[in-house]
Amino acid sequence: MIPAGLQLGLGTRPTSNEIVFTQGAFSETDNPLDMVVQGAGFFQVLQPNGAMAYTRAGQFQLDKSGNIVTANGNAIVPQITIPPAAQQITIATDGTVSYSLPNQTASQQAGQIQLANFQNPAGLNSLGNGLYTPTDASGDATVGIPGGQEGMGSLLQGYVEQSNVSIVDEFVNLIQAQRGYEANSKVVSAADNMYQQVNQISR
């Protein structure tokens, strides 16, 4: 039984949002410090306020002290320092960073990059600029070696990951939303015409 009284619709509104971390296409670069995560995992970076953040953006560079940092200057964790005279920087799929020095045949290891993953990455909190922090929905970070047994993806040197947004799919969704709006507008217009005819008949 429908209760008596006036029922008003409130229209539509967004109720939730979700961050999609599907793999984007890879683009080759000339920077040996650029890298992508092939699979699951996030780079760990240290914010200026000392808090940990996580990112999929693999555009890295060296600061004045030789530390590997993001494009915004956030240091990667664990900290990895490259000497000024280093040559032929190599990053293996397991995150091992090596370099060679002039007049030396043996390579030197600077450290190993570690990745973090979450039980529910879609629940991460976005800080902007590609940085994320964990929430109760995402769970705590699990840290491991790239390509290790923790389900972490491996690293690929000399590439960056492009956006995972499909322009074609988004245009299709936009057209569907527009057609739905047009259909609803026609329903409202038809109902208005019906009410006008009823009013004219009653006169």
Side-chain angles (χ1 to χ4, degrees):
M1 181 177 179
I2 300 177
L6 182 62
Q7 298 183 13
L8 295 177
L10 299 179
T12 61
R13 60 178 180 140
T15 58
S16 64
N17 67 304
E18 180 182 1
I19 305 174
V20 179
F21 288 109
T22 55
Q23 189 86 65
F26 296 165
S27 176
E28 188 174 4
T29 69
D30 296 327
N31 182 11
L33 295 176
D34 286 342
M35 56 192 115
V36 296
V37 181
Q38 300 181 99
F42 295 81
F43 297 107
Q44 304 176 96
V45 296
L46 197 63
Q47 301 181 77
N49 61 4
M52 187 80 75
Y54 304 89
T55 182
R56 291 277 300 186
Q59 294 175 304
F60 296 104
Q61 58 193 15
L62 296 179
D63 64 6
K64 61 182 181 180
S65 300
N67 299 317
I68 298 180
V69 298
T70 66
N72 295 324
N74 298 321
I76 194 170
V77 178
Q79 180 177 313
I80 297 178
T81 304
I82 306 294
Q87 300 176 344
Q88 296 180 349
I89 300 174
T90 303
I91 303 175
T93 57
D94 66 350
T96 302
V97 181
S98 305
Y99 61 90
S100 60
L101 294 174
N103 302 323
Q104 291 187 9
T105 57
S107 61
Q108 308 291 324
Q109 286 193 5
Q112 187 171 29
I113 297 172
Q114 296 181 351
L115 298 179
N117 200 12
F118 300 88
Q119 189 69 27
N120 177 31
L124 290 171
N125 176 46
S126 176
L127 300 179
N129 294 322
L131 295 178
Y132 302 91
T133 54
T135 65
D136 293 339
S138 67
D140 295 330
T142 301
V143 180
I145 297 173
Q149 297 180 352
E150 296 85 359
M152 303 294 180
S154 58
L155 298 185
L156 180 61
Q157 181 185 15
Y159 290 83
V160 292
E161 185 178 2
Q162 301 296 315
S163 172
N164 59 3
V165 176
S166 172
I167 299 298
V168 175
D169 292 342
E170 296 306 318
F171 265 115
V172 170
N173 293 335
L174 178 62
I175 293 174
Q176 290 178 342
Q178 183 179 10
R179 294 296 179 264
Y181 177 82
E182 291 176 354
N184 289 333
S185 298
K186 290 180 180 180
V187 171
V188 173
S189 178
D192 183 61
N193 292 333
M194 292 173 60
Y195 281 126
Q196 288 182 354
Q197 293 179 8
V198 171
N199 290 333
Q200 292 175 358
I201 292 175
S202 62
R203 294 176 183 173

